[in-house]
Amino acid sequence: METESLKQPYSLEAEQSLLGSVIIDPPSMNEIVSAVQPKYFFLPLHRMIFSCLMAMFETARPIDAVTLLDEMKKSPEYDDSAGRQYILQLADSVPTSRHIKSYAKIVRDKYYLRTLIDVSGQTIEEASDAASDAETVIDAAEQRIMNIRGGRSSELKPIREIIGQTMDYLGKISGDDKSEFLGIPTGFSTLDNVLTGLHRSDMIIVAARPGIGKSSFAMNVAQNVAKQNKAVVVFSLEMSADQLITRMLSTEALIDNKKLRSGEFKNDDWSRIVAAVSALYNIPMYIDDSADITVPEMKAKLRRVKNLGLVIVDYLQLMTGTRRTDSRVNEVAEITRGLKIMAKELNVPLIALSQMSRDVDKRKGENSTPVLSDLRESGSIEQDADIVIFLHPENAHLSPEERPESIDMKVLVEKNRHGERAALRFKYVGKYTKFTPVTEIYTGDEPY
């Protein structure tokens, strides 16, 4: 089906009334400037007129029929024979600007419908291709529809528009309600000082050798974020949902994880468990313990979550790609790139846990400190990550059985796209699966 053969919905009257309202009442632009873009107009002349009105409004120039005509003449698309008379007609056709928001909604809705027709045509064309992969076509269709809902655009943006958005953001993060616009706190004060919270669209890698506590670290952060009434989704490819909940109860109630597995409780344990359940029962956290899940499947589930604040993937090397490849390195590259794109599209921070190679175990003394090349299949992970955090116990040479109950843990921010590297000191109590920051901190480029 050719989309050109379908009737393109638009409202000539709504487009004319919106433009006329701004001409006769320039301050009314304040009511619709954030809701309407030039591309929403169906007629090219209307797109050009609104673009000129926006340029004049942004630079605080006076707007009327005469000044608008002068601005339009600067455009190579301007036709003097039609433009002059048409501007006067627009100004005369609208008695009041009182209903400008209603005009704007009609113009925007018609644009959405036209875009949906185009998206549907692309989907039909892709689905009709015998070589197409169904999962890929579905994911692409969902993404296009989400882009319509979100009003996102892949078009080029002039720098003045981006600067305006940036200045607006800077004003918000420096205001009295700055906490609403900064990164989401992890709940660990020293880490938040370095990262300034978890920022939207960032992919954060937390890496460690097996048994060091990376899942516990991620779940501690998950609990802290969910308690801020931000929805958290955990994709656990290694542990079951029951195991994760048991760990969360252990952390919250400060009860030995072994007791929660064996049922050997003391007199006051039940009251602490009930208090922990009460604290966790209504937090907005969701767990998916599918053992085999792809990035497109994650994305489809996440799109349905409201007020999404954080995504956790535990862990990276257990994921599978959507394309067949003989190289695990290439498969991991596809996965990490997909996760990064997903974080950006959903505008949410994403923490992905990762294994480190055995090379770090072979090194002794100061050389045992992890480096970026210790990430398994490290090339793509290091490249796509915005932040890389290593968990490194002070007594790394000891086996898990030999380590003390409370472990001195270094939390190393080895890569930080937004700031400096840092070495943070934490205490990790394995029986409670709980991390606690210690105030000592080292930052900068010096060796840790």
Side-chain angles (χ1 to χ4, degrees):
M1 181 185 298
E2 295 293 335
T3 58
E4 290 80 1
S5 65
L6 298 176
K7 182 179 179 181
Q8 294 289 306
Y10 79 101
S11 171
L12 176 64
E13 295 80 7
E15 292 189 5
Q16 290 176 327
S17 298
L18 190 153
L19 296 172
S21 295
V22 177
I23 295 171
I24 66 171
D25 181 18
S28 66
M29 183 69 120
N30 286 301
E31 299 185 50
I32 54 95
V33 68
S34 61
V36 180
Q37 300 178 34
K39 66 179 181 179
Y40 290 1
F41 292 85
F42 179 72
L43 297 180
L45 177 59
H46 289 173
R47 289 198 291 269
M48 182 182 68
I49 294 172
F50 191 73
S51 295
C52 292
L53 288 171
M54 283 191 68
M56 297 170 72
F57 177 78
E58 290 170 356
T59 54
R61 284 178 283 167
I63 295 176
D64 57 30
V66 176
T67 57
L68 175 59
L69 275 170
D70 185 64
E71 179 71 17
M72 290 174 60
K73 290 176 181 178
K74 300 175 185 177
S75 171
E77 302 171 4
Y78 175 71
D79 181 0
D80 189 62
S81 61
R84 184 185 303 274
Q85 187 61 37
Y86 194 64
I87 294 300
L88 296 175
Q89 179 184 332
L90 288 175
D92 292 338
S93 64
V94 183
T96 177
S97 62
R98 185 179 304 169
H99 306 300
I100 190 170
K101 286 186 177 180
S102 297
Y103 306 147
K105 184 179 185 305
I106 295 171
V107 171
R108 185 178 66 244
D109 287 352
K110 297 299 184 183
Y111 165 75
Y112 287 162
L113 291 174
R114 294 195 303 273
T115 307
L116 186 58
I117 290 174
D118 293 339
V119 165
S120 300
Q122 293 178 54
T123 303
I124 291 172
E125 184 176 343
E126 292 174 358
S128 301
D129 187 348
S132 296
D133 174 71
E135 187 173 291
T136 302
V137 173
I138 292 171
D139 182 59
E142 285 185 343
Q143 185 58 56
R144 293 186 189 116
I145 292 174
M146 284 298 296
N147 287 348
I148 297 173
R149 286 178 174 175
R152 301 179 197 150
S153 172
S154 58
E155 297 177 359
L156 297 175
K157 293 183 179 180
I159 191 169
R160 63 176 179 273
E161 179 181 333
I162 302 171
I163 288 177
Q165 294 171 352
T166 302
M167 291 301 294
D168 180 59
Y169 172 73
L170 293 177
K172 290 176 179 177
I173 65 172
S174 62
D176 295 335
D177 54 352
K178 60 188 298 183
S179 60
E180 297 182 16
F181 304 99
L182 293 173
I184 300 171
T186 64
F188 296 142
S189 57
T190 55
L191 185 60
D192 287 331
N193 287 338
V194 174
L195 304 181
T196 63
L198 302 172
H199 293 272
R200 296 188 179 278
S201 80
D202 275 0
M203 183 169 78
I204 302 115
I205 298 294
V206 176
R209 289 294 292 144
I212 297 300
K214 57 184 179 293
S215 295
S216 300
F217 183 85
M219 292 308 297
N220 282 191
V221 173
Q223 284 177 243
N224 293 337
V225 171
K227 287 178 180 179
Q228 300 170 52
N229 203 32
K230 300 287 186 180
V232 178
V233 176
V234 180
F235 293 99
S236 178
L237 288 83
E238 184 176 34
M239 287 186 286
S240 68
D242 290 339
Q243 289 175 307
L244 289 180
I245 293 300
T246 299
R247 286 185 169 218
M248 291 174 65
L249 289 174
S250 174
T251 303
E252 189 71 26
L254 295 181
I255 292 179
D256 193 331
N257 194 271
K258 290 182 180 179
K259 290 184 178 182
L260 294 173
R261 296 197 305 269
S262 66
E264 298 176 358
F265 303 126
K266 294 181 180 179
N267 293 334
D268 66 336
D269 287 342
W270 273 114
S271 61
R272 290 158 68 185
I273 291 172
V274 170
V277 168
S278 177
L280 298 175
Y281 192 78
N282 288 317
I283 63 173
M285 183 181 293
Y286 307 88
I287 298 173
D288 185 314
D289 58 1
S290 305
D292 186 13
I293 190 168
T294 63
V295 173
E297 290 168 342
M298 287 181 177
K299 196 186 300 184
K301 294 179 180 182
L302 291 170
R303 287 187 182 125
R304 298 174 177 86
V305 179
K306 296 181 179 180
N307 193 31
L308 184 60
L310 176 64
V311 178
I312 293 176
V313 178
D314 184 10
Y315 62 92
L316 188 60
Q317 281 80 12
L318 290 178
M319 290 187 65
T320 55
T322 56
R323 301 173 186 171
R324 294 180 180 179
T325 175
D326 295 331
S327 169
R328 178 57 182 168
V329 173
N330 291 339
E331 187 175 19
V332 170
E334 177 204 338
I335 293 168
T336 58
R337 189 60 186 153
L339 289 174
K340 173 57 185 173
I341 292 173
M342 181 176 76
K344 185 176 181 181
E345 289 178 350
L346 298 178
N347 196 31
V348 65
L350 182 148
I351 296 177
L353 308 189
S354 175
Q355 293 279 26
M356 289 196 299
S357 69
R358 294 180 179 178
D359 292 341
V360 70
D361 291 337
K362 299 175 184 178
R363 301 196 299 268
K364 304 296 182 182
E366 294 182 358
N367 291 330
S368 65
T369 300
V371 294
L372 291 174
S373 59
D374 288 322
L375 291 167
R376 286 181 57 184
E377 295 93 20
S378 63
S380 61
I381 301 176
E382 177 183 346
Q383 177 179 332
D384 291 325
D386 297 285
I387 295 166
V388 176
I389 297 173
F390 290 124
L391 306 182
H392 184 59
E394 297 280 7
N395 44 12
H397 62 285
L398 298 177
S399 67
E401 294 76 17
E402 296 173 321
R403 289 172 191 154
E405 184 176 281
S406 179
I407 300 173
D408 292 323
M409 185 77 71
K410 282 184 178 180
V411 175
L412 308 175
V413 182
E414 183 63 23
K415 178 182 179 182
N416 184 4
R417 195 161 277 170
H418 310 301
E420 57 192 353
R421 297 162 63 244
L424 315 177
R425 295 193 181 277
F426 277 65
K427 289 287 186 180
Y428 174 55
V429 181
K431 68 178 183 179
Y432 300 146
T433 63
K434 184 176 179 65
F435 280 78
T436 304
V438 180
T439 55
E440 191 174 3
I441 177 174
Y442 302 95
T443 61
D445 296 325
E446 299 80 10
Y448 295 134

